[in-house]
Amino acid sequence: MASPEIEVLTQALARLPGLGPRSARRAVLHLLKKRETALVPLLRALELVNERLATCSTCGNVDTTDPCAICADPRRDQRSLCVVEEVADLWALERSRLFPGRFHVLGGRLSALEGVRPEDLSVDRLIARLTAGGIDEVVLATNATLEGQTTAHYIAERLEGFPIRLTRLAHGLPVGGELDYLDEGTLAQALRARRPID
Amino acid sequence: MASPEIEVLTQALARLPGLGPRSARRAVLHLLKKRETALVPLLRALELVNERLATCSTCGNVDTTDPCAICADPRRDQRSLCVVEEVADLWALERSRLFPGRFHVLGGRLSALEGVRPEDLSVDRLIARLTAGGIDEVVLATNATLEGQTTAHYIAERLEGFPIRLTRLAHGLPVGGELDYLDEGTLAQALRARRPID
């Protein structure tokens, strides 16, 4: 019985990850009730993102400039490249401020279930960057999931023959992790990769 | 490490009910990735709602016209008024197509916890509508929650002395139930068996 405008908005919100039809309707009602403090700010924020943000044609990051601030920053280590699945992973690594080099966003992970094939990822663009030269190390920082590891294996194969050091993030106990709460896969990895105590 | 535009959008989404900071960030990444199929449609839907929708100055419903389609419909029973907490409750009743009269949206429920006082609800406007005359029956269709029933009691007291039949939805509602979550069968039972308030 809601007006068509409301139905369309409800459907647009319901397609967001984390929201279903019912929670989308609740969100719409919230937006309608808090017009000035919720609906208008969300509208303006979406407008700004839509107007200003672009995908970096070099690394796949999302930023107001192309190339993005990371690619354009001369203080970043140009010889080191970190390959991640999604922009979210790039942000997570940037929050840690630990990686001094630049990034390459694949745009997903290989997945038979979700129908994601190699040509859906930006692997060719990664190879083009390596072919252009000047890169010494590639860190494969895909997720520690089955799909993430499959993707890392696939990329490692594609990068064979390039004169680069190819590494991946270490697997093992997370900081603060308790053995009793960890899955067997993590335990197995941590045990296999055990190191001498110095 | 995301741009300020993305931070602002993430915060605007995180304030929606059902989304927290982390799920809001996931939603933003989804919007950035599916620019044409997710971000732009959501933006357009919000624009339309913001441009076209207004709150009915008579009943508090949200519609493209003021008075809303229900208030303006001459086929609706002008003598019967159904008082609900929120627009969502009005929509729930309208979906059941069982109530032939018009509505009055309170804009909430009395709640000491949430700091909602009588003057925060549109009770004065309800009394003004009754004072204007022409209404024979008021159905108090607040939720079957503690706050909803407290609100119904408060309104019943305020409406004492008006020459109206004051009813409430029958207690076929499950205790703790909220209108928006009920199936039509239960709503129909509750509406059919509405009883005078003693």
Side-chain angles (χ1 to χ4, degrees), chain A residues 18-167:
Chain A
L19 283 178
R22 190 165 285 271
S23 50
R25 195 189 297 151
R26 297 223 145 227
V28 168
L29 286 160
H30 175 80
L31 290 171
L32 288 171
K33 213 176 163 185
K34 313 268 179 181
R35 194 82 166 240
E36 292 308 315
T37 56
L39 193 150
V40 173
L42 178 58
L43 177 57
R44 298 286 168 260
L46 276 168
E47 278 172 350
L48 279 185
V49 163
N50 192 39
E51 280 164 22
R52 295 199 191 160
L53 291 193
T55 299
C56 175
S57 54
T58 305
C59 75
N61 188 15
V62 172
D63 204 346
T64 46
T65 54
D66 179 15
C68 72
I70 295 173
C71 283
D73 187 347
R75 293 162 304 177
R76 311 273 313 200
D77 182 357
Q78 312 288 307
R79 314 198 70 78
S80 192
L81 208 57
C82 183
V83 177
V84 293
E85 294 178 17
E86 301 280 6
V87 174
D89 304 323
L90 186 161
W91 293 347
L93 280 163
E94 274 300 275
R95 277 197 298 277
S96 76
R97 293 167 201 270
L98 286 166
F99 186 71
R102 294 187 296 167
F103 291 91
H104 190 85
V105 179
L106 292 170
R109 66 218 63 82
L110 295 180
S111 167
L113 259 177
E114 296 167 31
V116 181
R117 298 153 306 168
E119 55 265 40
D120 298 322
L121 308 179
S122 64
V123 183
D124 287 344
R125 198 142 48 76
L126 172 63
I127 286 172
R129 291 179 79 178
L130 294 179
T131 307
I135 292 165
D136 290 340
E137 179 182 18
V138 171
V139 183
L140 296 180
T142 52
N143 287 323
T145 56
L146 182 63
E147 286 95 347
Q149 295 308 298
T150 307
T151 308
H153 273 287
Y154 170 79
I155 292 173
E157 270 179 28
R158 290 285 304 268
L159 300 191
E160 257 173 36
F162 278 100
I164 50 166
R165 198 160 81 95
L166 192 61
T167 57

Side-chain angles (χ1 to χ4, degrees), chain A residues 1 5-6 22 25-26 29-30 33 35 39 43 46 50 52-53 64 86 88 91 94-95 107, chain B residues 1 5-6 17 25 29 33 35 43 46 50 52-53 64 86 88 91 94-95 97 107 180-181:
Chain A
M1 292 309 110
E5 290 84 357
I6 291 175
R22 190 165 285 271
R25 195 189 297 151
R26 297 223 145 227
L29 286 160
H30 175 80
K33 213 176 163 185
R35 194 82 166 240
L39 193 150
L43 177 57
L46 276 168
N50 192 39
R52 295 199 191 160
L53 291 193
T64 46
E86 301 280 6
W91 293 347
E94 274 300 275
R95 277 197 298 277
Chain B
M1 293 309 111
E5 290 85 357
I6 290 175
R25 194 185 302 149
L29 285 161
K33 214 175 161 186
R35 195 82 165 241
L43 177 56
L46 275 168
N50 192 39
R52 295 201 190 156
L53 291 193
T64 45
E86 302 280 7
W91 292 347
E94 275 298 274
R95 278 197 297 278
R97 294 167 201 269
D180 194 25
Y181 284 86

Side-chain angles (χ1 to χ4, degrees), chain B residues 100-133:
Chain B
R102 293 187 297 167
F103 291 92
H104 190 85
V105 180
L106 292 170
R109 66 216 63 80
L110 295 180
S111 167
L113 260 177
E114 295 167 31
V116 181
R117 298 153 307 169
E119 54 266 39
D120 299 320
L121 307 180
S122 65
V123 183
D124 287 344
R125 198 145 46 78
L126 172 63
I127 287 172
R129 290 180 79 178
L130 294 179
T131 308

